[in-house]
Amino acid sequence: MGSCGYSLLPVLFLLSGVHDASSFSLPNCDFRDLPGNWVFQVFEGQGPKDNRIDCSDLGPPKDKMVVNLQYLDVARDEFGNTGFFTIIYNQGLEVVINGYKWFAFFKYVTEHDNVTRLCHETFPGWVHDVLGKNWACFIAKKIEESLLPSPYISLLFPEEEEKGYLQGPNSKEHEFVKAINSAQSFWTATVYEKGEEFKFYQMIYRTDNHAFPRPKPAPLTPGIHEKTLTLPSSWDWRNVNGVNYVSPVQDQVFYTSCENAYAFASMAMLEARIRVLTKNSELPVLSTQQILSCSLYSDGCRGGDPYLTAGKYAQDFGVVEENCLPYLGHRSPCSLKNCTRYYVSEYHYVGGFYGACNEALMKLELVQHGPMAVSFELYDDFFHYQKGVYHHLGQRGSSDPHLLINHAVLLVGYGTDEKSGEDYWIIKNSWGSSWGEDGFFRIRRGTDECGIESMAVAATPIPKL
C-alpha cells in the first residue's frame, strides 16, 4: 500500500460461467487504457427489456457501434454524436451519448489462481436510454489505440518522489499510539476496544497492491475561482443556522466479515441530501442491506463504489428505507417488499469525471448541494484516531497520482483549526459514535491527504414530496 487514495473497494461483476468468483482480484485498469476506438456490440438479454433484464445469458447480437473515447472525457460515435465518458475508478467505464447510457465492468479471467486483466474489453454490461427505458446488453472492445504525445502524458500523470511513512505497529497497540502522539501534535491517537475489528477492514481492502494513475486535476476556470471567493470560511451541515441535516452515525464494524463502507457512505449522502432538499421534512434512513443483497453494480460484502451505488443503482432501481429491508451485515437473497423507493435525478464525480476533482470544487458542491461521498486510503495510524486534524505520518507529497483507495465516508463540512491554522474537512465515519469525535473525524484539507480530494461523488435525490 504505497500511497493514499479512495474507498472504492473491489467491485466484481458476478457473471455466472464467465469467471471464477472465488479468485477475486481488482481489474486495476487505469484512465490511459480508455482513449481510442471501441466497438459497442449490443445483444438481446433474457427477460423483460427493463431493469429486470438478465445479461448473464446473452441472446443474439443486434446493433453495433464504434465509439471514439478522447482525453479527457469526450466520446464521439461513428454518426457524429458527441457525448461524455468516465472511467469508474479502475473497475469499469460509463459512456453517455446520443440519449443512451452505457455501463460495463472491465473484463478479467482467472486460471490457476492467476488473474489476467483485459482492460480493453468488458464483461457484458447494461445499456438503456437516459430515461431508464429500452434496456439491452452489450460488450465493449477496444480496436484502436489513441496515444497522447509524451509531454501531454507527463502533464496528466506527473511523477512524484516517494517518501517513507510510518509503518504499522510491530509491538503492542499502546506503544504504537504513544509513538503517534509523540511524533506530531495535530491529532491524538488512542487505543479502542474494537481496534482489531477496525483493522479487519484493512485486510479486506488490500486485495491488490498495485497502485494506478489518475489524471492531474485541471486548474480552476476564472468563473469557478470567483465563486469560491464567496464561500464561507467554514461550513458544517450538522449545524446550519442551528439545524442538523446529517443522519445519525452508523456502526458497520459489528459485522467484521462484511466490507460495506461504500454502502453506508452512499446511503448517508442520499439521506443528508434528502434532508437538505426537504428542509428536514423527510428524514429517511435508507437500507444498506439492499445494496449488499440486490445491487448488480457492486459485489455485496466484497466491495463497491459510491458512484455506482448512490448514483447509478439509485437512479436505475431506487433505494428503500431501512425498515423495508433491515441491515443484516452479510449478503442475503434480495427479498424486497413493495416499499417506497427513492431515486436520483443525476449523479457525477465532482469535477465531471474521474480525476477532475479538487478542493475548490468539493467546497462548492458541499455548500450548494449538501454532503457527498468521499474516499481515501486507510493506514494503521488512522484506526487509532481520537481527535484533531488527521494526516498520515510521512505520506507522499500532495496530489499523489498513484491512488489505492480503500474506505468510503461522508463529507459534511470544512474549517480551519484555531490553534494550528490547519485547514480541514469534517467527515462522518461509519464505525459508531464512540470512535473519533463522536463518530466523525477531521482530516487535512487542500493537500489531497490520503486521496481524500481525489474521487468525491455527488448525486441529486428525488424526495417523495
Side-chain angles (χ1 to χ4, degrees), residues 8-310:
L8 170 115
L9 311 177
V11 173
L12 174 64
F13 177 29
L14 295 176
L15 193 60
S16 60
V18 175
H19 58 74
D20 179 8
S22 65
S23 301
F24 178 73
S25 182
L26 290 173
N28 213 34
C29 303
D30 74 54
F31 192 86
R32 294 170 294 184
D33 292 314
L34 268 64
N37 288 327
W38 291 69
V39 172
F40 286 14
Q41 175 66 66
V42 180
F43 295 86
E44 289 276 4
Q46 302 300 315
K49 308 310 176 189
D50 55 25
N51 61 9
R52 295 170 292 174
I53 195 169
D54 181 4
C55 292
S56 65
D57 183 14
L58 297 178
K62 297 177 62 180
D63 300 328
K64 183 184 294 185
M65 179 176 69
V66 176
V67 179
N68 181 251
L69 304 183
Q70 305 175 8
Y71 285 105
L72 288 168
D73 64 336
V74 176
R76 288 192 173 93
D77 66 23
E78 60 185 291
F79 310 108
N81 300 301
T82 299
F84 149 90
F85 81 93
T86 184
I87 192 171
I88 301 170
Y89 191 55
N90 60 357
Q91 301 292 298
L93 78 164
E94 183 176 59
V95 179
V96 182
I97 192 168
N98 196 28
Y100 277 81
K101 302 182 75 170
W102 309 73
F103 162 68
F105 289 111
F106 296 125
K107 189 175 182 179
Y108 64 91
V109 295
T110 59
E111 185 176 1
H112 305 300
D113 293 329
N114 294 320
V115 178
T116 301
R117 297 171 174 83
L118 306 174
C119 297
H120 293 176
E121 188 174 351
T122 72
F123 285 120
W126 301 266
V127 56
H128 55 75
D129 65 32
V130 293
L131 298 178
K133 301 178 180 179
N134 301 313
W135 286 60
C137 308
F138 81 101
I139 292 176
K141 190 170 184 178
K142 191 174 181 180
I143 57 174
E144 185 180 357
E145 295 283 349
S146 177
L147 298 178
L148 290 176
S150 56
Y152 193 28
I153 292 178
S154 298
L155 176 64
L156 289 174
F157 305 100
E159 294 297 328
E160 296 191 11
E161 179 182 0
E162 268 192 60
K163 299 180 180 179
Y165 58 89
L166 181 66
Q167 298 290 339
N170 294 318
S171 57
K172 296 180 180 179
E173 297 292 286
H174 289 278
E175 294 177 3
F176 184 50
V177 165
K178 183 178 179 180
I180 293 172
N181 292 332
S182 298
Q184 50 80 45
S185 59
F186 293 102
W187 61 281
T188 301
T190 191
V191 175
Y192 289 99
E193 290 183 7
K194 295 196 297 185
E196 291 305 313
E197 296 179 13
F198 293 142
K199 288 190 175 183
F200 181 85
Y201 291 100
Q202 194 175 29
M203 295 162 53
I204 292 177
Y205 298 153
R206 297 188 177 189
T207 55
D208 194 314
N209 290 324
H210 299 286
F212 69 102
R214 70 179 174 97
K216 183 179 180 180
L220 294 179
T221 64
I224 294 295
H225 177 67
E226 186 175 343
K227 288 182 179 179
T228 63
L229 299 178
T230 66
L231 292 174
S233 59
S234 63
W235 189 266
D236 188 345
W237 279 107
R238 297 172 299 176
N239 183 1
V240 178
N241 297 322
V243 180
N244 177 22
Y245 294 94
V246 179
S247 55
V249 172
Q250 302 292 324
D251 188 353
Q252 70 174 102
V253 181
F254 181 74
Y255 299 96
T256 55
S257 62
C258 187
E259 180 3 69
N260 45 30
Y262 74 97
F264 277 96
S266 298
M267 296 304 97
M269 175 175 66
L270 298 181
E271 291 165 359
R273 290 195 165 206
I274 290 170
R275 285 161 164 74
V276 171
L277 286 170
T278 66
K279 295 181 170 51
N280 274 346
S281 64
E282 294 182 22
L283 303 172
V285 174
L286 301 175
S287 173
T288 53
Q289 189 62 42
Q290 179 187 357
I291 305 305
L292 302 180
S293 298
C294 305
S295 176
L296 296 175
Y297 303 152
S298 58
D299 191 25
C301 284
R302 300 183 72 179
D305 178 6
Y307 183 89
L308 297 176
T309 303

